[in-house]
C-alpha cells in the first residue's frame, strides 16, 4: 500500500496561560502580557508564565526570534502590580526578586534575539523588561521611565546596571533620581530604544524586523548574542547586590506609603520619613554627647 503523505505541521503553536498570551507563528514566538485592566502590570504568576513561555522556544530551533509586548494600546507594561508588591516583605521578597531576575536571565540567555514591541506606558519594572530585550521598537504614543523614586521601590533589576551603559551616567541618574520620562521620539534620540514608528505601523514594522532576522544565520545570531552579552554578564554580582537591597525595601513603611499613595491617586508623603530620621539622628548624637554610649558606671557625672 502506498504510504499516506505526512501531515503538515501547523505553523502556529499555542500554549494556554492565565496572565499572558503565547503563540509561535511563522517562526516567531509572541509573548503578550494580557492584563490590560491594570496596564499590563505583572504579578508572580505573570513572571512565571513569561519564563515558561520564553524558555519553551529552546525546544524549537526553527524559531528565529521572540517578541514581548502588552495587550491593548495603552501599555507595554506599567511594571509590578502594586497589589502583589504590597504583600512583599524581607522574608518573602526574595521570591519576587528571583522571578524578576529569572525572567531577565531567560531573555538574555535565549539563543535568539528578543524584541520588545512597546505600545503606550513602559514604566518601572515594565521598562526594565524592555531593557532586558535585545531590541526595542516603540509606537509614537509610548512613554518610557523609571518610577521607583516616586513609589518607594528600587530599579535594581537591570535599570541601575544597564541604563548608564545605554544612555550614559548623567541621563541614567536623572532618569532614576528624578523619575524622568522619555517619549518614544526622545528615547530614540538618546539611544534608549532602536526605533519609533506611528502606532498604526508598529506591528508591521516589528514583522519586518522579524523577517529580516529570519533571513540571517541562526548560528551567527546565537554566537554574537553570547558575545554581545559578555561585558554586561559580568554585572551579575551587581544584580545580586541589587536584589539584596531590594529585599530590604519590600514591606518598608516608605515603600507602602509610595504604593498606597499611587493607588489612592494622591501625592506620597516621604517628607515625614526624612523628618523622623532627622529626629532619630539628633537623639543619637545627643546621647553620644551625654556619654550614653558608655556603661552607666563609666559615664560622666
Amino acid at each position: 500500500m502506498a504510504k499516506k503523505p505526512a501531515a503538515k505541521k501547523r505553523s502556529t503553536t499555542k500554549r494556554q496561560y492565565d496572565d499572558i498570551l503565547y503563540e509561535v507563528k511563522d517562526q516567531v514566538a509572541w509573548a503578550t502580557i494580557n492584563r490590560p485592566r491594570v496596564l499590563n502590570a505583572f504579578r508572580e504568576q505573570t513572571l512565571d508564565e513569561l519564563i515558561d513561555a520564553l524558555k519553551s522556544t529552546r525546544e524549537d530551533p526553527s524559531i528565529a526570534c521572540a517578541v514581548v509586548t502588552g495587550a491593548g494600546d495603552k501599555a507595554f507594561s506599567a511594571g509590578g502590580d502594586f497589589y502583589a508588591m504590597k504583600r512583599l516583605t524581607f522574608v518573602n521578597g526574595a521570591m519576587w526578586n528571583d522571578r524578576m531576575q529569572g525572567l531577565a536571565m531567560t531573555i538574555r540567555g535565549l539563543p535568539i534575539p528578543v524584541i520588545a514591541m512597546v505600545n503606550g506606558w513602559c514604566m518601572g519594572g515594565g521598562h526594565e523588561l524592555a531593557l532586558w530585550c535585545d531590541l526595542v521598537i516603540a509606537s509614537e504614543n509610548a512613554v518610557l521611565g523609571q518610577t521607583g523614586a516616586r513609589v518607594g521601590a528600587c530599579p535594581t533589576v537591570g535599570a541601575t546596571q544597564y541604563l548608564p551603559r545605554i544612555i550614559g551616567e548623567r541621563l541614567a541618574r536623572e532618569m532614576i533620581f528624578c523619575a524622568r520620562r522619555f517619549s518614544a521620539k526622545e528615547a530614540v534620540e538618546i539611544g534608549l530604544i532602536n526605533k519609533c514608528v506611528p502606532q498604526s505601523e508598529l506591528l508591521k514594522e516589528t514583522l519586518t524586523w522579524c523577517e529580516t532576522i529570519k533571513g540571517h544565520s541562526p548560528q551567527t545570531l546565537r554566537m554574537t548574542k553570547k558575545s554581545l552579552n559578555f561585558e554586561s554578564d559580568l554585572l551579575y554580582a551587581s544584580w545580586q547586590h541589587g536584589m539584596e537591597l531590594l529585599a530590604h525595601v519590600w514591606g518598608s513603611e516608605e515603600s507602602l506609603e509610595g504604593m498606597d499613595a499611587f493607588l489612592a491617586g494622591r501625592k506620597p508623603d516621604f517628607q515625614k520619613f526624612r523628618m523622623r530620621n532627622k529626629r532619630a539622628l539628633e537623639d543619637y548624637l545627643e546621647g553620644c554627647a551625654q556619654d550614653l554610649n558608655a556603661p552607666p558606671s563609666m559615664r560622666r557625672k
Side-chain angles (χ1 to χ4, degrees), residues 40-173:
N40 296 318
F42 45 75
R43 55 178 181 155
E44 288 88 345
Q45 292 93 322
T46 323
L47 297 170
D48 286 343
E49 291 178 5
L50 284 169
I51 291 170
D52 183 76
L54 291 170
K55 276 188 175 180
S56 74
T57 62
R58 290 181 171 275
E59 300 169 7
D60 184 354
S62 72
I63 296 175
C65 60
V67 178
V68 177
T69 191
D73 58 5
K74 292 184 178 179
F76 171 76
S77 174
D81 189 324
F82 285 172
Y83 286 101
M85 294 196 297
K86 282 177 62 177
R87 300 178 68 247
L88 302 177
T89 66
F90 178 69
V91 175
N92 63 34
M95 301 187 75
W96 174 275
N97 296 348
D98 287 347
R99 284 180 166 95
M100 288 284 285
Q101 191 168 13
L103 178 55
M105 293 303 144
T106 295
I107 290 172
R108 289 176 57 80
L110 291 184
I112 55 175
V114 181
I115 301 168
M117 187 174 79
V118 177
N119 204 357
W121 296 105
C122 180
M123 307 297 289
H127 179 244
E128 286 184 302
L129 171 57
L131 285 173
W132 305 333
C133 296
D134 299 294
L135 301 166
V136 183
I137 181 170
S139 61
E140 290 177 338
N141 74 325
V143 180
L144 303 92
Q146 283 300 326
T147 53
R150 286 184 174 178
V151 299
C154 293
T156 54
V157 200
T160 52
Q161 291 84 4
Y162 295 152
L163 279 177
R165 285 161 174 74
I166 295 173
I167 63 175
E169 284 278 347
R170 296 302 182 193
L171 271 182
R173 290 171 189 264

Side-chain angles (χ1 to χ4, degrees), residues 155-228:
T156 54
V157 200
T160 52
Q161 291 84 4
Y162 295 152
L163 279 177
R165 285 161 174 74
I166 295 173
I167 63 175
E169 284 278 347
R170 296 302 182 193
L171 271 182
R173 290 171 189 264
E174 183 180 351
M175 194 172 185
I176 293 171
F177 294 160
C178 301
R180 179 175 173 182
R181 301 171 178 177
F182 291 95
S183 69
K185 289 182 178 180
E186 293 172 324
V188 171
E189 292 172 1
I190 64 173
L192 185 59
I193 67 174
N194 298 90
K195 193 167 187 177
C196 169
V197 297
Q199 190 173 18
S200 61
E201 298 293 317
L202 181 60
L203 178 58
K204 179 181 177 182
E205 188 64 24
T206 303
L207 288 170
T208 298
W209 284 18
C210 295
E211 286 300 315
T212 297
I213 291 170
K214 283 166 64 175
H216 292 167
S217 162
Q219 177 177 260
T220 298
L221 293 173
R222 180 187 186 115
M223 301 304 180
T224 51
K225 178 168 178 175
K226 186 66 69 175
S227 182
L228 284 164

